Amino acid sequence: MARTDRLMRLMDALRRLPVPVTAMRLAAETGVSPRQLYRDIATLRAGGALIDGEAGVGYRLTEDPALPPQSFSRLEIEALVLAVGELRQTGDAALEDAGRSALARIIATLADDQSRQAMHTVLRSFRSPPARVEPPVDMALLRRACWEELALDVSYRDLKGWVTEREVWPLGISYSDGTLMVLVWCCLRQDWRVFHAKGIENARLSGRSFRPRRVALLRDYAARRAASGPPAKA
Amino acid sequence: MARTDRLMRLMDALRRLPVPVTAMRLAAETGVSPRQLYRDIATLRAGGALIDGEAGVGYRLTEDPALPPQSFSRLEIEALVLAVGELRQTGDAALEDAGRSALARIIATLADDQSRQAMHTVLRSFRSPPARVEPPVDMALLRRACWEELALDVSYRDLKGWVTEREVWPLGISYSDGTLMVLVWCCLRQDWRVFHAKGIENARLSGRSFRPRRVALLRDYAARRAASGPPAKA
DNA sequence: CGCCTGCTGACAGTTTGTGTCAGCATGGCC
DNA sequence: GGCCATGCTGACACAAACTGTCAGCAGGCG
């Protein structure tokens, strides 16, 4: 891949050399004819690089959206920003903070200062108003149980209002349509169930850990759902 | 740059598709003959990618050298998974794909194999059922206008049903409470407005680009909102 | 064994990349 | 204005790279 490599070196030269830098100089730097240099510049521009060229002066690298191989595309960052913003709706503050923190770290790895600052600004601007709801249940406990594969004893009030006591193996937390949900293997029904978090009135560690492993159970669940449609709603 | 682009898509496919994945599948995914797929795999390997291929089984992406190692906490990863899952609700397929792709890349950088595979399983298990709504408006156009700072002429139907024609400067896309929203500077009202995406009945580039820059406008918006509460709803 | 799959070589056709030459447009200088 | 340096584009021919087709080998799995 001689060409791709050369384009990388071109970008590097644009960043490194004192501005303005002439096409002739860049051509020498990358070992290519002036004509080809112009073509390479065109390629970079087509790829999103903002290279300012002025007749009689030279080139200036205005912005470096180093999208390709290394970093994230602009759309990907935008998607993550939007997605993390939605976490507020879950009412789970720890989760939201974690999302913001992860996102901040991702943004910090962006190549150039300018897009980094731009994304930070966007991130701050779109902070949605409080409007947060109380987490219906101890999400931290649920998460810990998922990760450490610990069985839980829960009191669960289903959508009809009936309360039952069960041992469940929590597999994951999901959020959709404004509702926090927990996927569990229900030892009472010997089947998968999706509990609404607000229905979990009491949850405590049973002291037992469950087997098979969480990942294996999830795989089974995914396979079964693929075979027979969505599961019953507990 | 067809080839380089295709190699990127190949990497993405390797990260995204359930393992193991056959060469035939990857060839179809990248629109290339099986023979060429083998050549592309060889190219990626030459570039440092650790792709494990086994006869009779398929390919497995072992490690992703394209990213600096980043360490995320388990909770952070969980938050991102949950957040990205919610993107489906926006009805914007491009956005959702970008989110999944970014997430797959992040997960690929996780230190140990075990949590990586666990997250992949979780990611796949929780794929929510289709249930997708049509994007109410050309989101790609809106995004492009935001990024390239291009003014738009829109027909907007507000919540009372009144339709107006305006020139707006789109600043960003937001999603909350099940509704896609677009923050704009409205040239008609000379003020910020938050448009509901479904109310934008027609949007086309006016041919003008706007100043001040998007980031500066967003900063102003954030500052003003901090001073005087949320903006009017157009 | 038969099948699926990864993997490699060879060949031809096509595409792409490249250098050379020519010319136009623009900004700065005298 | 003339002049020069420089960005930029088109045309053309040659070279290099890429790609599909065909063929064959090897390893896992039932």
Short mmCIF file of all heavy atoms in Angstrom, two decimals, chain D residues 1-15:
data_model
loop_
_atom_site.label_atom_id
_atom_site.label_comp_id
_atom_site.label_asym_id
_atom_site.label_seq_id
_atom_site.Cartn_x
_atom_site.Cartn_y
_atom_site.Cartn_z
P DG D 1 -3.74 46.07 -16.69
OP1 DG D 1 -4.83 45.92 -15.97
OP2 DG D 1 -3.26 44.87 -16.81
"O5'" DG D 1 -3.04 46.57 -17.90
"C5'" DG D 1 -2.31 47.76 -17.89
"C4'" DG D 1 -0.82 47.55 -17.72
"O4'" DG D 1 -0.51 47.92 -16.35
"C3'" DG D 1 -0.32 46.12 -17.88
"O3'" DG D 1 0.40 45.99 -19.11
"C2'" DG D 1 0.65 45.89 -16.71
"C1'" DG D 1 0.59 47.16 -15.91
N9 DG D 1 0.33 46.91 -14.47
C8 DG D 1 -0.88 46.80 -13.85
N7 DG D 1 -0.76 46.61 -12.57
C5 DG D 1 0.60 46.58 -12.34
C6 DG D 1 1.32 46.41 -11.13
O6 DG D 1 0.87 46.21 -10.01
N1 DG D 1 2.69 46.44 -11.33
C2 DG D 1 3.30 46.66 -12.55
N2 DG D 1 4.64 46.67 -12.57
N3 DG D 1 2.65 46.83 -13.69
C4 DG D 1 1.29 46.77 -13.51
P DG D 2 0.84 44.53 -19.67
OP1 DG D 2 1.17 44.72 -21.09
OP2 DG D 2 -0.17 43.55 -19.26
"O5'" DG D 2 2.18 44.23 -18.89
"C5'" DG D 2 3.32 45.07 -19.06
"C4'" DG D 2 4.45 44.55 -18.20
"O4'" DG D 2 4.08 44.69 -16.80
"C3'" DG D 2 4.77 43.08 -18.44
"O3'" DG D 2 6.19 42.91 -18.45
"C2'" DG D 2 4.13 42.39 -17.23
"C1'" DG D 2 4.23 43.44 -16.14
N9 DG D 2 3.17 43.35 -15.13
C8 DG D 2 1.81 43.32 -15.36
N7 DG D 2 1.11 43.26 -14.28
C5 DG D 2 2.05 43.24 -13.26
C6 DG D 2 1.87 43.16 -11.86
O6 DG D 2 0.82 43.10 -11.22
N1 DG D 2 3.09 43.16 -11.18
C2 DG D 2 4.33 43.23 -11.80
N2 DG D 2 5.39 43.22 -10.99
N3 DG D 2 4.51 43.31 -13.12
C4 DG D 2 3.32 43.30 -13.77
P DC D 3 6.81 41.51 -18.88
OP1 DC D 3 8.12 41.81 -19.51
OP2 DC D 3 5.78 40.73 -19.62
"O5'" DC D 3 7.07 40.80 -17.49
"C5'" DC D 3 7.88 41.45 -16.50
"C4'" DC D 3 7.85 40.64 -15.22
"O4'" DC D 3 6.63 40.92 -14.50
"C3'" DC D 3 7.90 39.13 -15.45
"O3'" DC D 3 9.10 38.63 -14.88
"C2'" DC D 3 6.66 38.59 -14.73
"C1'" DC D 3 6.26 39.74 -13.81
N1 DC D 3 4.79 39.82 -13.54
C2 DC D 3 4.33 39.86 -12.21
O2 DC D 3 5.16 39.82 -11.29
N3 DC D 3 3.00 39.93 -11.97
C4 DC D 3 2.14 39.96 -12.99
N4 DC D 3 0.83 40.04 -12.71
C5 DC D 3 2.59 39.93 -14.35
C6 DC D 3 3.90 39.86 -14.58
P DC D 4 9.56 37.13 -15.19
OP1 DC D 4 11.02 37.17 -15.45
OP2 DC D 4 8.65 36.54 -16.18
"O5'" DC D 4 9.31 36.42 -13.79
"C5'" DC D 4 9.69 37.10 -12.59
"C4'" DC D 4 8.95 36.49 -11.41
"O4'" DC D 4 7.58 36.93 -11.41
"C3'" DC D 4 8.92 34.96 -11.41
"O3'" DC D 4 9.45 34.50 -10.18
"C2'" DC D 4 7.43 34.62 -11.54
"C1'" DC D 4 6.77 35.86 -10.97
N1 DC D 4 5.38 36.09 -11.47
C2 DC D 4 4.34 36.28 -10.55
O2 DC D 4 4.58 36.25 -9.33
N3 DC D 4 3.08 36.49 -11.02
C4 DC D 4 2.86 36.51 -12.34
N4 DC D 4 1.60 36.73 -12.74
C5 DC D 4 3.90 36.34 -13.29
C6 DC D 4 5.14 36.12 -12.81
P DA D 5 9.93 32.97 -10.08
OP1 DA D 5 11.35 32.95 -9.65
OP2 DA D 5 9.51 32.25 -11.30
"O5'" DA D 5 9.04 32.46 -8.87
"C5'" DA D 5 8.93 33.26 -7.70
"C4'" DA D 5 7.67 32.86 -6.95
"O4'" DA D 5 6.51 33.36 -7.67
"C3'" DA D 5 7.48 31.35 -6.81
"O3'" DA D 5 7.20 31.04 -5.46
"C2'" DA D 5 6.31 31.03 -7.73
"C1'" DA D 5 5.54 32.34 -7.75
N9 DA D 5 4.80 32.55 -9.00
C8 DA D 5 5.27 32.48 -10.27
N7 DA D 5 4.37 32.73 -11.19
C5 DA D 5 3.21 32.97 -10.46
C6 DA D 5 1.90 33.30 -10.84
N6 DA D 5 1.52 33.42 -12.11
N1 DA D 5 0.99 33.47 -9.85
C2 DA D 5 1.38 33.33 -8.58
N3 DA D 5 2.59 33.04 -8.10
C4 DA D 5 3.46 32.87 -9.10
P DT D 6 7.22 29.52 -4.98
OP1 DT D 6 7.54 29.53 -3.55
OP2 DT D 6 7.99 28.72 -5.95
"O5'" DT D 6 5.69 29.13 -5.14
"C5'" DT D 6 4.72 29.83 -4.38
"C4'" DT D 6 3.35 29.52 -4.90
"O4'" DT D 6 3.19 30.06 -6.23
"C3'" DT D 6 3.05 28.03 -5.06
"O3'" DT D 6 2.22 27.61 -4.00
"C2'" DT D 6 2.30 27.92 -6.39
"C1'" DT D 6 2.13 29.36 -6.81
N1 DT D 6 2.16 29.55 -8.29
C2 DT D 6 1.02 29.95 -8.92
O2 DT D 6 -0.03 30.16 -8.34
N3 DT D 6 1.12 30.08 -10.29
C4 DT D 6 2.25 29.86 -11.05
O4 DT D 6 2.22 30.01 -12.27
C5 DT D 6 3.42 29.46 -10.32
C7 DT D 6 4.69 29.18 -11.05
C6 DT D 6 3.32 29.32 -8.99
P DG D 7 1.71 26.11 -3.91
OP1 DG D 7 1.77 25.77 -2.49
OP2 DG D 7 2.44 25.29 -4.90
"O5'" DG D 7 0.20 26.18 -4.38
"C5'" DG D 7 -0.73 26.97 -3.65
"C4'" DG D 7 -2.03 27.06 -4.42
"O4'" DG D 7 -1.75 27.58 -5.73
"C3'" DG D 7 -2.73 25.71 -4.62
"O3'" DG D 7 -4.13 25.85 -4.40
"C2'" DG D 7 -2.42 25.37 -6.07
"C1'" DG D 7 -2.33 26.74 -6.71
N9 DG D 7 -1.46 26.77 -7.88
C8 DG D 7 -0.13 26.45 -7.94
N7 DG D 7 0.38 26.56 -9.13
C5 DG D 7 -0.68 26.98 -9.92
C6 DG D 7 -0.73 27.27 -11.30
O6 DG D 7 0.17 27.21 -12.13
N1 DG D 7 -2.02 27.66 -11.71
C2 DG D 7 -3.11 27.77 -10.86
N2 DG D 7 -4.24 28.14 -11.41
N3 DG D 7 -3.06 27.50 -9.57
C4 DG D 7 -1.82 27.11 -9.17
P DC D 8 -5.06 24.55 -4.37
OP1 DC D 8 -6.35 24.92 -3.76
OP2 DC D 8 -4.30 23.41 -3.84
"O5'" DC D 8 -5.29 24.33 -5.92
"C5'" DC D 8 -6.19 25.20 -6.61
"C4'" DC D 8 -6.28 24.79 -8.05
"O4'" DC D 8 -5.03 24.99 -8.72
"C3'" DC D 8 -6.61 23.30 -8.28
"O3'" DC D 8 -7.94 23.21 -8.74
"C2'" DC D 8 -5.60 22.84 -9.32
"C1'" DC D 8 -5.03 24.15 -9.83
N1 DC D 8 -3.64 24.05 -10.34
C2 DC D 8 -3.38 24.30 -11.69
O2 DC D 8 -4.32 24.59 -12.43
N3 DC D 8 -2.12 24.22 -12.16
C4 DC D 8 -1.12 23.91 -11.33
N4 DC D 8 0.12 23.85 -11.83
C5 DC D 8 -1.35 23.65 -9.94
C6 DC D 8 -2.62 23.73 -9.50
P DT D 9 -8.60 21.79 -8.92
OP1 DT D 9 -9.99 21.93 -8.46
OP2 DT D 9 -7.73 20.76 -8.35
"O5'" DT D 9 -8.59 21.59 -10.50
"C5'" DT D 9 -8.82 22.69 -11.34
"C4'" DT D 9 -8.61 22.29 -12.78
"O4'" DT D 9 -7.21 22.47 -13.13
"C3'" DT D 9 -8.94 20.83 -13.09
"O3'" DT D 9 -9.91 20.79 -14.12
"C2'" DT D 9 -7.62 20.21 -13.52
"C1'" DT D 9 -6.81 21.42 -13.96
N1 DT D 9 -5.34 21.26 -13.77
C2 DT D 9 -4.53 21.47 -14.86
O2 DT D 9 -4.93 21.77 -15.97
N3 DT D 9 -3.20 21.31 -14.60
C4 DT D 9 -2.61 20.98 -13.38
O4 DT D 9 -1.40 20.86 -13.26
C5 DT D 9 -3.53 20.77 -12.29
C7 DT D 9 -3.02 20.40 -10.95
C6 DT D 9 -4.85 20.92 -12.54
P DG D 10 -10.56 19.41 -14.58
OP1 DG D 10 -12.00 19.66 -14.84
OP2 DG D 10 -10.14 18.36 -13.65
"O5'" DG D 10 -9.85 19.13 -15.99
"C5'" DG D 10 -9.91 20.11 -17.01
"C4'" DG D 10 -9.02 19.71 -18.18
"O4'" DG D 10 -7.64 19.88 -17.78
"C3'" DG D 10 -9.20 18.25 -18.63
"O3'" DG D 10 -9.50 18.22 -20.02
"C2'" DG D 10 -7.86 17.60 -18.30
"C1'" DG D 10 -6.89 18.77 -18.27
N9 DG D 10 -5.77 18.57 -17.36
C8 DG D 10 -5.83 18.37 -15.99
N7 DG D 10 -4.66 18.23 -15.44
C5 DG D 10 -3.77 18.35 -16.48
C6 DG D 10 -2.36 18.29 -16.49
O6 DG D 10 -1.60 18.11 -15.54
N1 DG D 10 -1.84 18.46 -17.77
C2 DG D 10 -2.59 18.67 -18.91
N2 DG D 10 -1.92 18.81 -20.05
N3 DG D 10 -3.91 18.74 -18.92
C4 DG D 10 -4.43 18.57 -17.67
P DA D 11 -9.83 16.83 -20.75
OP1 DA D 11 -10.77 17.14 -21.84
OP2 DA D 11 -10.21 15.84 -19.71
"O5'" DA D 11 -8.43 16.39 -21.37
"C5'" DA D 11 -7.67 17.36 -22.09
"C4'" DA D 11 -6.47 16.68 -22.72
"O4'" DA D 11 -5.36 16.69 -21.77
"C3'" DA D 11 -6.69 15.21 -23.11
"O3'" DA D 11 -6.09 14.97 -24.37
"C2'" DA D 11 -6.02 14.44 -21.99
"C1'" DA D 11 -4.87 15.37 -21.59
N9 DA D 11 -4.47 15.26 -20.19
C8 DA D 11 -5.28 15.17 -19.09
N7 DA D 11 -4.63 15.09 -17.96
C5 DA D 11 -3.29 15.12 -18.33
C6 DA D 11 -2.09 15.07 -17.60
N6 DA D 11 -2.06 14.97 -16.25
N1 DA D 11 -0.93 15.13 -18.28
C2 DA D 11 -0.97 15.23 -19.62
N3 DA D 11 -2.05 15.29 -20.42
C4 DA D 11 -3.17 15.23 -19.70
P DC D 12 -6.44 13.63 -25.19
OP1 DC D 12 -6.60 14.02 -26.60
OP2 DC D 12 -7.50 12.91 -24.46
"O5'" DC D 12 -5.10 12.77 -25.06
"C5'" DC D 12 -3.85 13.39 -25.33
"C4'" DC D 12 -2.74 12.55 -24.72
"O4'" DC D 12 -2.65 12.82 -23.30
"C3'" DC D 12 -2.94 11.05 -24.86
"O3'" DC D 12 -1.97 10.53 -25.76
"C2'" DC D 12 -2.78 10.51 -23.44
"C1'" DC D 12 -2.14 11.67 -22.69
N1 DC D 12 -2.46 11.73 -21.23
C2 DC D 12 -1.42 11.72 -20.30
O2 DC D 12 -0.25 11.67 -20.71
N3 DC D 12 -1.71 11.78 -18.97
C4 DC D 12 -2.99 11.83 -18.59
N4 DC D 12 -3.23 11.89 -17.27
C5 DC D 12 -4.06 11.84 -19.53
C6 DC D 12 -3.76 11.78 -20.82
P DA D 13 -2.00 9.01 -26.22
OP1 DA D 13 -1.67 9.02 -27.65
OP2 DA D 13 -3.22 8.35 -25.73
"O5'" DA D 13 -0.76 8.40 -25.42
"C5'" DA D 13 0.46 9.13 -25.38
"C4'" DA D 13 1.44 8.42 -24.45
"O4'" DA D 13 1.06 8.71 -23.09
"C3'" DA D 13 1.43 6.90 -24.58
"O3'" DA D 13 2.75 6.40 -24.41
"C2'" DA D 13 0.52 6.45 -23.44
"C1'" DA D 13 0.81 7.51 -22.38
N9 DA D 13 -0.30 7.76 -21.46
C8 DA D 13 -1.64 7.82 -21.77
N7 DA D 13 -2.42 8.06 -20.74
C5 DA D 13 -1.53 8.17 -19.67
C6 DA D 13 -1.72 8.43 -18.31
N6 DA D 13 -2.92 8.63 -17.76
N1 DA D 13 -0.63 8.48 -17.52
C2 DA D 13 0.58 8.29 -18.09
N3 DA D 13 0.89 8.04 -19.36
C4 DA D 13 -0.22 8.00 -20.11
P DC D 14 3.06 4.87 -24.80
OP1 DC D 14 4.12 4.88 -25.82
OP2 DC D 14 1.79 4.13 -25.03
"O5'" DC D 14 3.70 4.36 -23.44
"C5'" DC D 14 4.61 5.20 -22.73
"C4'" DC D 14 4.64 4.79 -21.27
"O4'" DC D 14 3.42 5.25 -20.64
"C3'" DC D 14 4.71 3.28 -21.04
"O3'" DC D 14 5.89 3.00 -20.32
"C2'" DC D 14 3.42 2.95 -20.29
"C1'" DC D 14 3.02 4.29 -19.69
N1 DC D 14 1.56 4.45 -19.46
C2 DC D 14 1.07 4.71 -18.17
O2 DC D 14 1.87 4.79 -17.22
N3 DC D 14 -0.26 4.86 -17.97
C4 DC D 14 -1.10 4.77 -19.02
N4 DC D 14 -2.39 4.94 -18.77
C5 DC D 14 -0.62 4.51 -20.33
C6 DC D 14 0.69 4.36 -20.52
P DA D 15 6.19 1.47 -19.90
OP1 DA D 15 7.65 1.31 -19.98
OP2 DA D 15 5.28 0.56 -20.62
"O5'" DA D 15 5.79 1.47 -18.36
"C5'" DA D 15 6.25 2.53 -17.52
"C4'" DA D 15 5.69 2.35 -16.12
"O4'" DA D 15 4.27 2.64 -16.12
"C3'" DA D 15 5.83 0.94 -15.56
"O3'" DA D 15 6.29 1.04 -14.21
"C2'" DA D 15 4.43 0.36 -15.66
"C1'" DA D 15 3.54 1.58 -15.54
N9 DA D 15 2.28 1.49 -16.26
C8 DA D 15 2.10 1.15 -17.58
N7 DA D 15 0.84 1.18 -17.97
C5 DA D 15 0.15 1.55 -16.83
C6 DA D 15 -1.22 1.75 -16.56
N6 DA D 15 -2.16 1.60 -17.48
N1 DA D 15 -1.57 2.12 -15.32
C2 DA D 15 -0.61 2.28 -14.39
N3 DA D 15 0.71 2.12 -14.51
C4 DA D 15 1.02 1.75 -15.76
#
